Amino acid sequence: MKSEALNNNQLTESPMNIIDGKATAQQIKAEIAAEVKEIVAAGGKQPHLAAVLVGHDGGSETYVAAKCKACEECGFKSTLIRYEADVTEQELLACIDRLNQDADIDGFIVQLPLPKHISEQKIIEAIDYRKDVDGFHPINVGRTSIGLPAFVSATPAGILELLKRYNIETAGKHCVVLGRSNIVGKPVASLMMQKGYPGDATVTVCHSKSKDLKEQCLKADIIIAALGSPEFVKADMVKDGAVIVDVGTTRVPSTVTKSGFKLTGDVKFDEVAPKCSYITPVPGGVGPMTICSLMMNTLHAGKKTYYR
Ligand code: NAP
């Protein structure tokens, strides 16, 4: 078993390599920080990310705190705007309007999920797509799917960046995506079939109504599992030498950890890993790359790479 990050040329012919998302994310954040330093030294503007957090959901608090910390590591300015869970949709829309108008804010996110009385879709569509660094606005989703420059949603962008940094071949490969959500399954499937690298794959998307999911997986050169179903992918579903990207993160009760739960992926790691050429662990695989992609999008928002 090897953990070889970052220097593609040094990857050995080991039968199985662990894709180290944590180390890759650290390296990318350092690259972003160096670029921000140069921009600021040349008299340019420090990128500024704002995050809107509604309520006190434990998971959302953790994610937003991690995003603010990542901003610091990248040399960005960050602003956290908090609302209680009883904020009205109208108040939240007014906040989005202010952020859309604020010239100092390059990009912003509204942390999901939102309380039930607020329409998430309405909120997403109210965000100026030029500041939509989460890449959830239909304009960014649409532009991504037709191969135009756009803010790509963070988890799919992180997955592609990992494939790229590990020099994993995708052209002509059969990629099976498990899950068809708007934030992971659909966009990652769309990116894997785009012309170019990483992409050019033949993509199959499976979901809860798929009848031949196991047969599809057995034919896959690359499996991207985004189901939210712990240890769903077993060794008898994977062909030898496959590349496995495990997006799943489910909190499963545990007597071993101090917190009382264990973050568990969609892949039964111990039995699947020995069959693979590459595999992402949980935690430490796709997870760290998601926040890192948000940072990359924020850098692009600051530089006005996609939109003026
Ligand atoms: P989601 O919106 O719940 O979608 C899950 C998808 O998987 C759906 O398309 C569903 O099919 C399909 N599915 C679920 N169970 C299945 C089964 N037993 N057989 C076949 N298909 C099944 O989830 P998501 O937001 O995409 O997230 C997926 C997982 O990734 C979760 O564990 C989430 O926590 C994790 N995640 C991690 C990160 C990260 O940064 N690491 C980011 C985002 C998500 P239907 O459409 O037919 O219902």
Side-chain angles (χ1 to χ4, degrees):
M1 180 184 305
K2 282 183 68 67
S3 173
E4 287 281 355
L6 317 176
N7 191 341
N8 302 321
N9 298 328
Q10 285 177 358
L11 282 176
T12 64
E13 287 306 307
S14 159
M16 190 271 284
N17 290 284
I18 292 192
I19 297 178
D20 189 339
K22 202 171 162 195
T24 308
Q26 275 312 119
Q27 170 149 339
I28 293 171
K29 283 186 281 187
E31 290 166 10
I32 295 173
E35 192 171 342
V36 170
K37 217 168 161 183
E38 273 176 29
I39 292 170
V40 173
K45 182 184 173 299
Q46 183 187 24
H48 185 178
L49 175 73
V52 180
L53 176 59
V54 177
H56 297 275
D57 170 76
S60 296
E61 292 269 1
T62 308
Y63 288 133
V64 169
K67 288 168 187 176
C68 291
K69 183 172 168 270
C71 280
E72 226 174 274
E73 292 174 282
C74 293
F76 298 160
K77 190 171 161 187
S78 71
T79 300
L80 173 60
I81 301 161
R82 305 192 70 122
Y83 286 97
E84 290 303 322
D86 61 357
V87 64
T88 65
E89 190 175 271
Q90 217 176 358
E91 282 173 300
L92 204 52
L93 288 168
C95 168
I96 288 169
D97 196 37
R98 284 194 297 278
L99 293 170
N100 284 341
Q101 307 298 331
D102 187 336
D104 195 58
I105 306 274
D106 297 297
F108 66 97
I109 59 152
V110 178
Q111 184 65 43
L112 303 178
L114 292 170
K116 295 251 174 311
H117 64 279
I118 297 171
S119 158
E120 288 187 352
Q121 197 54 35
K122 211 168 173 179
I123 296 300
I124 287 169
E125 291 190 41
I127 297 172
D128 183 335
Y129 67 91
R130 292 164 297 190
K131 295 190 176 190
D132 167 43
V133 283
D134 256 342
F136 294 159
H137 191 286
I139 290 183
N140 283 312
V141 175
R143 287 179 62 97
T144 299
S145 78
I146 58 172
L148 291 176
F151 294 119
V152 178
S153 101
T155 303
I159 293 168
L160 265 78
E161 191 64 30
L162 277 180
L163 296 176
K164 196 160 95 184
R165 296 224 172 203
Y166 276 80
N167 242 355
I168 290 169
E169 241 184 278
T170 56
K173 300 292 177 189
H174 182 204
C175 173
V176 170
V177 177
L178 302 178
R180 57 173 166 184
S181 73
N182 289 341
I183 65 162
V184 189
K186 275 184 206 151
V188 85
S190 147
L191 289 166
M192 289 299 287
M193 74 171 89
Q194 290 293 345
K195 275 185 193 281
Y197 179 75
D200 282 333
T202 304
V203 181
T204 300
V205 180
C206 296
H207 46 76
S208 67
K209 302 291 185 289
S210 299
K211 290 201 166 70
D212 57 348
L213 190 149
K214 185 175 171 184
E215 288 69 32
Q216 292 297 339
C217 284
L218 276 168
K219 286 189 269 178
D221 303 303
I222 302 170
I223 296 178
I224 300 176
L227 304 163
S229 180
E231 302 189 330
F232 180 92
V233 179
K234 311 272 194 300
D236 65 354
M237 296 167 72
V238 175
K239 80 171 176 189
D240 285 335
V243 173
I244 308 289
V245 177
D246 189 352
V247 187
T249 46
T250 309
R251 286 154 78 108
V252 171
S254 165
T255 48
V256 181
T257 59
K258 224 164 96 184
S259 60
F261 70 84
K262 187 170 146 253
L263 217 54
T264 305
D266 287 342
V267 177
K268 202 161 170 47
F269 186 89
D270 292 347
E271 62 174 59
V272 171
K275 296 186 80 175
C276 308
S277 53
Y278 291 90
I279 186 165
T280 63
V282 176
V286 173
M289 290 300 290
T290 295
I291 290 181
C292 189
S293 304
L294 174 68
M295 298 298 116
M296 289 210 269
N297 278 348
T298 304
L299 178 65
H300 288 303
K303 288 163 62 178
K304 310 277 180 271
T305 310
Y306 307 133
Y307 311 113
R308 288 277 136 205

